[in-house]
Amino acid sequence: MATKIRRLTLSTGWLIVALVAGMPLFGVIVGLWPSVPISGADVIRFFAYNGLTLSITNTLFISLAAPLLALYVAFMVYSQYRFNPRWQTLEKRLAPLLSLPHLAVALGLVYLFSSGGMVFNALWGLFDQAAPDWLGLPRKSLFTMVLAISIKEVPFFLLILSALGRQLAIKDWLLQGKALGYTERASWWLLIFPIMLKQSRLALLAAMAYTLSVLDLSLLIGPNIPQLYAVVLYNWQTGFTTYEQANAFLGNLVLLVMLGLLIFSIYVHEWFAVKRLRTNAIMANPFKIARISQIFTAWLGFFSLLTVAILATFLLWSMGWNSQSTLSTANWSFALWQDEWFFMQRPLLNSLNIAFFSSILGVAVTLLALELQQQTKRKLPDYIWLMAILLPQLSMVYGWQVAHTGLSGSYSTGWIILSHLPFTFAYSYLVLRGPFQSLNRHYELVAASFGYTYWQRWWRIRFMLLRPALLSALAIAFSVSVAQYIPTLMIGAGRVTTITTEAVAIASGNEQSITAVYIIVQAALPFIAFLIASILAQRIRGSFDAEHP
């Protein structure tokens, strides 16, 4: 009887985990099922769509350039900080820096460095002149997209490199490089970079897949003529005519082909980079990129200053500053906050409600997936669990929307929570996999020898040891849910508003002061989550150490 109950429990657990982890693949498959008959004429009209080729080319360029640039910058930062006394400080700040939403970074750069932004207005204001329109960062361009995404993705890649670095004998390899006559900087690139590049494939693919179908950034800072592919495809997916539905189906196919091209490019880049490094090593060519690495010793200070500047800029905009005023002439007040609070309450409550439940469920399913793999001795590949961040959002969410409509689902927060669950699960798995697998099982064996049952050992030993990591996973999952735009918009059909959907809608109308209010709130939610997690983790560590000397 006990054996049957155990089998039933394991089967139920695997079913739950499979449903959550398989939702992204299910969405992609459903999205590839045409809702209208597709003819040859539809295919011809699709490829004759005005600006389609350039839209696809621009999107592929951004999806390649931004993640690769972020990866290289992250490695240069890591190589400079890894054995630096400031490394622990940087490592502690990675998760909060990672929580800053893409939307906040992108709009913050525009608010700061565009021709009408804070920096150039302040500089030209010293001479009582207006900054010229041609000066500064373009508000909507490929360059702005690449810059914003690459800056935002550096903390993500640093987190990945930090995890990889714990598994590699970096000190030994650096000593071997020194024995061969290479400098320490050259040894980092010759001996360590090729291995880390290979092991970062999934992280690189995740960043590329995100950039490929990111909608909010494409709408707000991407080029207008032609629009990026994510915007074009979304317009087709939300259309009702037969022509638009046919284009949506063919557009999903093209999006997956583009993803395949990006996967191929990862391997091509890896082959080319390793070959180039080997050639330089054999020919004893100087490593120019190794010299550039020295610049990034100031990265921690730069990024922290940039984050503070972005948040300060939003705060000043929300309090009355604008591109036509100076710091001395602006009419400072909190009137805008008071006016917007009435309209903000519902989106804020929705964001908190959705993020709270989706993060808890995501972490719970992650623990279940890790425990099932340990119980059954079946360690499945990481890409199975991370499909939500390895597949383009527009394809999978479109499939969910089709299924949601077919089921006559309501437009409620429950469905939005379900649509956020695969993303909170994937990021929770990234955070918890390492700590869970590295737990010292000796404590549980000792507890078993004293007669503790399995569940007593799990709650009193394993859960206690995992609590700091669980708090970090909850904070990251909460941040991920707050920043979700495509699932909230498409599954909620615009009827379930959140801080993020409202911020994008207002920013599209060029109401920069009101946008600043919503961006500050959006950025504050993850910060508060990490602050609470940090405080609780410190108290938990202290109480645990006191109870278990």
Side-chain angles (χ1 to χ4, degrees):
M1 185 67 179
T3 304
K4 290 183 178 179
I5 293 176
R6 184 176 183 275
R7 288 178 179 175
L8 180 62
T9 303
L10 288 174
S11 300
T12 304
W14 276 114
L15 178 62
I16 294 172
V17 169
L19 288 174
V20 174
M23 276 181 64
L25 186 60
F26 168 78
V28 171
I29 293 173
V30 172
L32 291 177
W33 195 268
S35 57
V36 295
I38 305 297
S39 64
D42 292 322
V43 177
I44 294 172
R45 280 199 302 268
F46 173 81
F47 286 105
Y49 185 82
N50 188 28
L52 180 64
T53 301
L54 189 55
S55 176
I56 291 174
T57 304
N58 288 344
T59 302
L60 285 173
F61 169 75
I62 293 173
S63 301
L64 277 171
L68 284 175
L69 180 59
L71 175 63
Y72 275 88
V73 171
F75 182 78
M76 286 188 274
V77 172
Y78 182 76
S79 67
Q80 295 301 308
Y81 278 91
R82 179 61 184 89
F83 299 111
N84 187 305
R86 301 174 68 191
W87 170 246
Q88 289 186 345
T89 303
L90 175 60
E91 209 167 20
K92 289 178 182 177
R93 294 187 188 180
L94 281 180
L97 292 176
L98 185 63
S99 70
L100 191 66
H102 284 78
L103 188 61
V105 174
L107 292 180
L109 290 174
V110 170
Y111 280 29
L112 269 173
F113 300 111
S114 65
S115 59
M118 288 286 294
V119 172
F120 294 107
N121 262 26
L123 290 175
W124 257 253
L126 296 175
F127 306 99
D128 293 326
Q129 295 181 2
D133 293 337
W134 55 265
L135 185 67
L137 190 68
R139 287 182 171 267
K140 295 174 73 67
S141 70
L142 291 178
F143 177 75
T144 306
M145 279 280 290
V146 171
L147 183 64
I149 293 175
S150 58
I151 288 176
K152 178 61 183 73
E153 293 296 345
V154 169
F156 170 69
F157 282 111
L158 274 173
L159 198 67
I160 299 299
L161 295 179
S162 175
L164 292 175
R166 297 190 189 99
Q167 305 169 18
L168 303 175
I170 293 178
K171 282 188 176 180
D172 294 339
W173 294 347
L174 291 176
L175 289 174
Q176 291 175 10
K178 187 177 181 180
L180 292 171
Y182 295 110
T183 63
E184 182 175 322
R185 292 196 301 269
S187 297
W188 272 99
W189 288 98
L190 281 175
L191 304 177
I192 300 168
F193 181 72
I195 295 174
M196 283 195 160
L197 182 62
K198 181 179 180 180
Q199 297 188 7
S200 301
R201 288 172 185 165
L202 283 182
L204 195 57
L205 177 59
M208 288 182 176
Y210 168 81
T211 310
L212 183 66
S213 63
V214 61
L215 183 59
D216 48 357
L217 299 191
S218 300
L219 280 167
L220 297 180
I221 64 171
N224 281 333
I225 305 175
Q227 293 177 314
L228 291 177
Y229 189 70
V231 180
V232 176
L233 180 57
Y234 172 75
N235 290 333
W236 287 333
Q237 290 177 343
T238 53
F240 297 99
T241 66
T242 303
Y243 167 72
E244 288 172 320
Q245 289 300 302
N247 279 356
F249 167 72
L250 295 170
N252 279 333
L253 284 177
V254 171
L255 188 64
L256 293 178
V257 171
M258 292 167 68
L259 181 66
L261 289 174
L262 292 177
I263 295 173
F264 177 72
S265 70
I266 290 174
Y267 286 92
V268 171
H269 165 263
E270 184 181 311
W271 172 83
F272 178 79
V274 172
K275 182 180 179 182
R276 181 67 177 173
L277 288 172
R278 287 176 180 172
T279 301
N280 281 359
I282 294 171
M283 302 300 293
N285 291 336
F287 282 84
K288 295 180 181 179
I289 196 168
R291 296 176 183 175
I292 298 173
S293 300
Q294 290 180 301
I295 301 173
F296 292 94
T297 53
W299 183 86
L300 178 58
F302 162 75
F303 196 84
S304 299
L305 181 63
L306 179 63
T307 302
V308 172
I310 287 174
L311 295 178
T313 301
F314 286 133
L315 183 61
L316 292 175
W317 271 92
S318 69
M319 291 173 58
W321 191 89
N322 57 62
S323 57
Q324 281 74 45
S325 63
T326 63
L327 294 177
S328 58
T329 61
N331 185 21
W332 303 111
S333 73
F334 285 98
L336 188 59
W337 284 87
Q338 296 172 353
D339 295 339
E340 285 301 314
W341 176 245
F342 175 79
F343 303 101
M344 188 190 296
Q345 291 180 54
R346 174 53 57 186
L348 178 59
L349 288 174
N350 285 340
S351 292
L352 291 172
N353 185 26
I354 293 167
F356 177 78
F357 286 104
S358 63
S359 59
I360 289 179
L361 289 173
V363 171
V365 177
T366 297
L367 286 174
L368 181 59
L370 291 168
E371 183 64 27
L372 287 171
Q373 289 181 91
Q374 181 178 306
Q375 287 289 317
T376 57
K377 309 298 181 185
R378 297 176 184 173
K379 186 180 177 183
L380 300 178
D382 287 340
Y383 61 81
I384 292 179
W385 309 112
L386 304 178
M387 282 191 291
I389 58 177
L390 297 179
L391 295 173
Q393 275 196 20
L394 275 174
S395 290
M396 69 176 84
V397 177
Y398 177 65
W400 296 346
Q401 185 186 44
V402 171
H404 178 257
T405 304
L407 292 171
S408 299
S410 62
Y411 301 107
S412 62
T413 55
W415 286 102
I416 306 297
I417 291 170
L418 183 61
S419 70
H420 286 202
L421 182 56
F423 303 103
T424 59
F425 165 75
Y427 279 96
S428 299
Y429 191 88
L430 268 178
V431 175
L432 289 175
R433 178 193 56 184
F436 190 93
Q437 294 174 352
S438 62
L439 283 177
N440 190 341
R441 306 299 176 190
H442 176 72
Y443 296 114
E444 294 183 50
L445 292 175
V446 172
S449 67
F450 282 103
Y452 281 74
T453 64
Y454 171 78
W455 285 111
Q456 286 175 326
R457 296 196 303 272
W458 203 97
W459 286 109
R460 297 190 180 186
I461 305 296
R462 192 180 308 176
F463 182 76
M464 295 285 284
L465 292 171
L466 280 174
R467 282 191 299 179
L470 285 172
L471 288 170
S472 296
L474 282 169
I476 288 179
F478 184 93
S479 305
V480 168
S481 178
V482 167
Q484 289 301 314
Y485 177 70
I486 295 177
T488 309
L489 186 66
M490 294 183 70
I491 303 301
R495 301 180 189 181
V496 180
T497 57
T498 63
I499 290 295
T500 299
T501 58
E502 287 296 284
V504 175
I506 295 169
S508 300
N510 204 31
E511 292 285 347
Q512 294 191 184
S513 296
I514 302 176
T515 303
V517 174
Y518 281 83
I519 292 295
I520 289 175
V521 175
Q522 188 204 33
L525 293 180
F527 176 78
I528 293 171
F530 275 100
L531 181 63
I532 293 173
S534 176
I535 293 172
L536 290 178
Q538 289 177 0
R539 293 187 178 182
I540 284 169
R541 288 191 183 100
S543 64
F544 185 78
D545 292 339
E547 294 172 10
H548 303 274

